[in-house]
Amino acid sequence: MVVVLTPYWFNGVQKLKVVSQSPPQPPRGLTPPSMQASVHKIRCLSQLRSKDKSLEKYIYLQQLKDADTNMFYQLCLDHMPEITPLIYTPTVGDACLQYSQIFRRPDGLFVSYKDKGSIGKVLRNWPRIDEARIAVVTDGSRILGLGDLGANGMPIAIGKLSLYVAGAGIRPSSTVPICIDVGTDNKKFLEDPLYIGLRQPRISEAEMNEFMEEFMYEMSVVFPELLIQFEDFSTDKAFSFLSSFRDRYPLFNDDIQGTGAVVLSGFLNAAKLSSAASGRPLADHRILFLGAGSAGVGVGMQLMSFFKLQGLSDEEARRRIWLVDSQGLIYDGRGKLAEHKKFFSRNDYTGAPMTDLVEIINYVKPTALLGLSTLKGAFNQGVIEAMSAHNPRPILFPLSNPVRLSECEFHEAVQWSRGRVIFASGSPFPEQQHEGRTLYPGQGNNMYVFPGIGLGAILSKAASVTDSMIEAASLGLADALTDEERGLELIYPRIERIRDISAQIALAVIRCAQKEGVDRTPHLQQLDDAELLKHIKGKMWNPEHMSHL
Ligand SMILES: NC(=O)c1ccc[n+]([C@@H]2O[C@H](COP(=O)([O-])OP(=O)(O)OC[C@H]3O[C@@H](n4cnc5c(N)ncnc54)[C@H](O)[C@@H]3O)[C@@H](O)[C@H]2O)c1
Ligand SMILES: O=C(O)C[C@H](O)C(=O)O
Ligand SMILES: [Mg+2]
């Protein structure tokens, strides 16, 4: 038997613990005679590949995760580009739409409005309370760009947590997927006899606020060491719960802050490529958003850092950003605006409402066009040609998910910009050949950052997740490109390197937590960067052997 001992600190004293050992031998007869882990991996992969439809592959992989967690994560780590789109975006969107039909067994915690007044009791039913470190919590009210999916939102929480394990080595037993079910306004679901959620419309805003107060308080009592990631709450709730709870509990909102961080990171690299072609100073970039929801405004806020890093003031940075929603350009003279849209509302435009995207592009002359609108095909030929007319290397980020809601596809962007586009999308697209060159799409998806943010916050036992920690994650990701990746003009690293990237991001997050005084692990302050990185990597869980052998 191989036993590996690793040092750890307890109350200031160094101790040793066993971190891995060879698997216990199963009783003879309970496994077939020729059962080798390496061969079984090939078997599992071929079972997966024998399925035609992505949703069938999703179901197979979820069942594999239940039956043999180690094998599931070995496959994930060995075949990241193939498996990520199956357990996460875009397939997870179909899994949510179909969840009431494909449901096999509960996997996660459902907290419903019926539990009001006794939420703590429900949370205590979770079987691994002591080990819980990270929960992804959704209320299913805005799943990707698919709208209100009620209790069918659970796969989103499960998918994000699978990436925490695969991408950052969080122990599977430390993850808690939670779906809050407070009704749904999805009429089709309410009429579906198979629908698994509460059969009632969503509760009122006041009832929801009261429910969330109890939920968050009980979460902190039952799971004292837990970091919470809010996911896919509709925009009004996303902003209000983030601001009401972030100073009281360790949490972040993935759609606002995670997306902001991942887009800032990609934009830092994209702007350098674009400026190299145009000669335009970095501080002179102009960014136009189609979509002004939680993601659009969250990204806008974070992209202000891009300009501030170039030496611009808050006000100058704000003025480099224009927002468009379903009513057109957002400006003061347009009439009443939702609270979250006011910050970027323009006071330098006073004309009639401007709704045509090409007209807006010709007015703003942006260097970058970002889509967080859920409006498929919004970046059409006219739009991309207008962007290309103003820029030798236009930056186009159609970030809406899943694939079928993307503002444009990569091959369209390549064709209509004649190969000049600098591109990142929320969902994955295949690479393209153009005039003898291979062009690679970036994937501007928060999956690059939330695992590392979570890992850093967990290891530093951060009391809260600050804006600087999010920005540190973003800068850490931007710096993670290798020379080879830069040579290929990638703006995000290859997903295969996610574990290394997450470790780098966690390091940046921990250092920032220490600087801001929100960390609660003084012994980590004594480590230099190399030692801290080693410590982080040493903490990562690795799938080792087949659970059932
Ligand atoms: N890539 C990522 O990592 C990432 C992260 C978060 C969200 N997203 C995606 O962003 C999208 C939006 O998410 P959200 O939470 O902000 O949703 P939301 O519904 O709150 O926001 C959508 C915005 O788009 C605008 N819009 C809708 N139709 C429009 C039209 N015809 N013309 C112009 N604007 C229009 C709306 O007015 C609104 O401002 C979703 O598809 C989501 O999957 C991607
Ligand atoms: O889930 C994703 O793929 C990204 C993002 O959180 C979204 O809501 O679209
Ligand atoms: Mg999301």
Side-chain angles (χ1 to χ4, degrees), residues 88 142 144 156 160 230-232 254-255 259 401 446:
Y88 183 68
R142 191 288 275 147
L144 307 176
I156 279 290
K160 295 268 172 189
F230 282 148
E231 191 67 48
D232 289 6
D254 185 37
D255 299 292
T259 315
N401 294 318
N446 47 36

Side-chain angles (χ1 to χ4, degrees), residues 177-190:
I178 300 185
C179 186
I180 291 176
D181 183 359
V182 288
T184 178
D185 293 333
N186 186 321
K187 210 163 156 280
K188 202 168 142 226
F189 282 7
L190 289 175

Side-chain angles (χ1 to χ4, degrees), residues 126-134 170-176 223 225-226 458:
W126 184 249
R128 297 175 293 277
I129 289 180
D130 291 347
E131 290 180 75
R133 294 292 178 277
I134 170 92
I170 303 292
R171 271 192 307 277
S173 55
S174 298
T175 64
V176 192
F223 300 110
E225 293 198 61
L226 197 72
I458 291 169

Side-chain angles (χ1 to χ4, degrees), residues 40-48 60-61 64 68-84 166 543:
H40 189 50
K41 204 189 311 186
I42 297 169
R43 181 179 295 115
C44 290
L45 195 58
S46 81
Q47 287 173 359
L48 174 69
Y60 172 76
L61 287 167
L64 181 64
D68 190 343
T69 307
N70 283 283
M71 179 56 73
F72 169 80
Y73 283 112
Q74 277 187 32
L75 287 187
C76 289
L77 284 172
D78 289 356
H79 303 276
M80 216 59 200
E82 178 178 351
I83 292 193
T84 307

